[in-house]
Amino acid sequence: MDRVTVYDNGSIQLLNVGVRDAGYYFVTVTEELGTNIYGTIILNVYEIIYEDLHFVAVFFAFLTAVSAILVCFMWLCNKSVHLYQKQRRKLEERTEEIELEAIEF
């Protein structure tokens, strides 16, 4: 009863409602003349499950970290390819073409 507020117009307010409060409620309304009206109320309570939000946040952070690592790896691969090509060009510049002369017997 400490979580229920009854108003003059006949409506009620439930305070601090949780999942444990969900279910069927049988209501009896007694009018001033003494007549009773019976009714049933179905109360559905939905709450945000923070574990799901936590999972999404952790998964997003994981994907961000993996993508950052892959970008760094691609950058390193690109740099190493450029270094390899640069060294190869230097080596080609140093080599001299040797012409072989045909020796006749």
Side-chain angles (χ1 to χ4, degrees):
M1 287 303 291
D2 57 334
R3 298 186 305 138
V4 178
T5 305
V6 179
Y7 294 100
D8 292 335
N9 63 359
S11 62
I12 61 172
Q13 178 183 15
L14 301 175
L15 303 172
N16 299 324
V17 177
V19 175
R20 59 187 166 83
D21 297 317
Y24 292 93
Y25 288 87
F26 300 103
V27 180
T28 304
V29 177
T30 305
E31 296 181 0
E32 291 180 1
L33 300 175
T35 58
N36 291 333
I37 300 174
Y38 302 99
T40 304
I41 297 173
I42 300 172
L43 179 63
N44 294 318
V45 179
Y46 304 100
E47 69 178 357
I48 298 172
I49 301 175
Y50 292 103
E51 291 86 16
D52 290 344
L53 294 176
H54 182 259
F55 172 76
V56 169
V58 168
F59 187 67
F60 181 73
F62 173 75
L63 288 179
T64 303
V66 168
S67 64
I69 290 170
L70 288 175
V71 166
C72 290
F73 180 70
M74 288 174 52
W75 180 79
L76 284 173
C77 288
N78 187 33
K79 283 294 185 184
S80 63
V81 166
H82 283 297
L83 282 174
Y84 175 75
Q85 289 174 347
K86 187 176 179 181
Q87 287 177 353
R88 188 169 174 105
R89 271 188 245 123
K90 282 184 182 179
L91 184 63
E92 286 175 359
E93 289 174 0
R94 289 184 188 163
T95 57
E96 298 176 11
E97 292 185 22
I98 301 175
E99 293 182 17
L100 297 177
E101 293 179 17
I103 301 175
E104 293 180 24
F105 291 100

